[in-house]
Amino acid sequence: MVQRVFRTALLSVAACGIALAAHAQTPAPQTPAPATPAPAASAPAAAPAASTPADPVVARVNGEELHKSDVTRMVSQLPPQVQQMPIEMIYPAVIDQLISGKLVSSAGYKAGLADSAEVKDEIKRAEERAVQRAYIQKEIKARVTPEALNKAYQDYLKENPAQEEVKAAHILVEKEDEAKAIIAQLKKGADFAKLAKEKSKDAAAAAQGGDLGYFTKDAMVEPFANAAFAMKPGEVSKEPVKTQFGWHIIKVEDKRTQPQPTLEEVKPQLEQALSKDIVTALVEELRGKAKVETFQIDGSPMPKEEPAAAPAPATPAPAEPAKK
C-alpha cells in the first residue's frame, strides 16, 4: 500500500517533467528572446564537486554525480503524506527516479535539444518566474520591518477590541416544569454540578458538572447569552431560559475581559497580510512607472472607448400663469 502510494507520487513528479517537455513543443512566440550562449551538444561536463559530509555523493551516472541535496529536492516535490514517510523507506525509489531522470536529460542533450528554440524559450520563462519570486521576496523582506509589524499589530488590536467573557455552567432539560423543579432544589441548597451530571441532557457539559468554560456573547444563542451576561458571578438563573435546545438553568461563575493576543501570537497572520498588501502596492508602483500597451487576442488594436454622452440639459418647467 505504502509503496503503491509512493510510486504514484513519483510518477506524478515524472509526469510534470514530461508535461513540461510537451509544452516546449508549442510554437515559440514571435518576439525574439535575447541571445544566449548555445549550450554544448551534451550536458556540460562539470568538474566533480568535492563530496562533503553535509552533501555526499549518492550516485554516479556515466560519471555525473547525484548528491544528497538532489534527493532532498525531489522529496520536497512529493505529496505531504509521502514526505512524512521515513527516508529509509522511500530512498531506493527516489534514487531510482533521479537516475532515470539523469539518463533521459543526458539523452536529450546528446540529441541537441538544448539548442532548440523551444527549450531556450522555456528556460527563459522559468528564469523570469524565478526572478519574479526573488524580487518579491526581496521587497517583502525589506518592507516587513519591525515598525510596519508593530503598526499592523496596533491596527489589529483596534479592529479586534477585547470582549467581555462569561464563565458559566448550565443544566439543560426538555420541559419547563422540570427546569423549575431543579431551580427549586438549588434554592434549597442542592449541588449544581451534581444535578447537572444527573439531569442535564447536554452530555458533554454534564460530564463536567455543567461547565461551559469561558465564552463571548456571540458564541451562544441569543436568549442564553442575554441571560448569562445579565447575571452576576455566583448567581443562578431564577427562571428557566428557553432556547431551541430546551430549557436551561444557568449558573454564572466568573466574568472577565478577554485577553488580547500578543504580537508574537498573531505575527504570522500579520506578516501574511502585510506581504499581500506589499505585493499589490509593488505591482501598482511598477505599473505607474511603465508604458503598457495592450492589444486584442489577434494582435489588432483595442477598440477605442466612446466618450460618455453628456447629459441633456434639464428642460425648464413652464412658468405658471400669474394668478389674478
Side-chain angles (χ1 to χ4, degrees):
M1 172 66 180
V2 168
Q3 197 69 3
R4 184 167 66 252
V5 171
F6 179 68
R7 289 286 180 187
T8 302
L10 274 180
L11 286 173
S12 297
V13 172
C16 288
I18 294 170
L20 285 173
H23 175 71
Q25 302 305 313
T26 57
Q30 297 302 312
T31 304
T36 55
S42 60
S51 179
T52 65
D55 195 21
V57 173
V58 295
R60 287 191 181 90
V61 182
N62 294 326
E64 290 190 63
E65 294 180 347
L66 292 170
H67 290 258
K68 178 182 177 182
S69 57
D70 297 308
V71 174
T72 303
R73 190 177 302 109
M74 172 164 277
V75 171
S76 71
Q77 298 171 18
L78 297 172
Q81 66 268 30
V82 178
Q83 293 185 38
Q84 292 170 7
M85 294 179 184
I87 187 63
E88 295 79 11
M89 181 183 296
I90 62 177
Y91 178 74
V94 171
I95 197 70
D96 183 67
Q97 184 62 38
L98 284 169
I99 290 169
S100 297
K102 180 62 72 176
L103 289 170
V104 171
S105 62
S106 295
Y109 277 111
K110 287 179 181 177
L113 295 179
D115 294 328
S116 67
E118 292 84 0
V119 169
K120 288 181 179 179
D121 182 65
E122 188 175 335
I123 291 172
K124 178 177 180 294
R125 293 181 185 281
E127 181 183 84
E128 286 180 354
R129 290 192 295 271
V131 170
Q132 287 171 11
R133 287 193 299 271
Y135 183 68
I136 286 172
Q137 289 168 1
K138 169 180 169 292
E139 289 297 314
I140 288 174
K141 185 176 180 181
R143 300 189 192 198
V144 179
T145 61
E147 293 77 16
L149 269 174
N150 187 61
K151 182 181 183 304
Y153 176 60
Q154 296 304 323
D155 292 340
Y156 174 88
L157 295 181
K158 290 177 184 176
E159 293 167 5
N160 300 273
Q163 298 183 60
E164 186 181 16
E165 287 185 320
V166 162
K167 185 176 189 295
H170 80 143
I171 301 170
L172 176 62
V173 294
E174 291 184 3
K175 298 179 180 180
E176 183 180 12
D177 290 345
E178 188 179 359
K180 287 183 175 180
I182 292 173
I183 290 174
Q185 291 180 61
L186 292 170
K187 287 180 178 178
K188 293 178 181 177
D191 183 72
F192 191 99
K194 185 172 181 294
L195 286 176
K197 290 180 180 179
E198 293 174 355
K199 299 181 180 293
S200 181
K201 69 174 188 175
D202 180 354
Q208 306 297 323
D211 185 31
L212 296 169
Y214 284 96
F215 54 87
T216 56
K217 195 169 185 179
D218 59 1
M220 296 293 180
V221 292
E222 190 171 335
F224 186 98
N226 289 341
F229 276 80
M231 295 164 61
K232 297 176 181 178
E235 189 176 356
V236 175
S237 52
K238 297 178 175 60
E239 295 292 334
V241 178
K242 185 181 180 182
T243 70
Q244 65 264 44
F245 303 107
W247 294 86
H248 306 258
I249 303 95
I250 304 170
K251 180 182 179 182
V252 171
E253 297 177 350
D254 189 26
K255 284 188 175 183
R256 71 177 185 184
T257 300
Q258 183 186 56
Q260 289 183 291
T262 64
L263 173 57
E264 287 303 313
E265 289 171 335
V266 294
K267 188 176 180 180
Q269 177 184 339
L270 296 177
E271 286 178 335
Q272 185 177 12
L274 277 174
S275 298
K276 184 178 178 181
D277 292 343
I278 286 168
V279 172
T280 301
L282 179 61
V283 173
E284 288 179 356
E285 289 172 14
L286 295 173
R287 279 181 172 270
K289 298 174 184 177
K291 179 184 178 182
V292 178
E293 299 176 89
T294 57
F295 303 89
Q296 297 197 87
I297 191 67
D298 61 358
S300 60
M302 285 285 189
K304 293 183 179 180
E305 293 185 6
E306 295 293 333
T315 305
E320 293 185 3
K323 293 182 180 179
K324 295 182 180 180

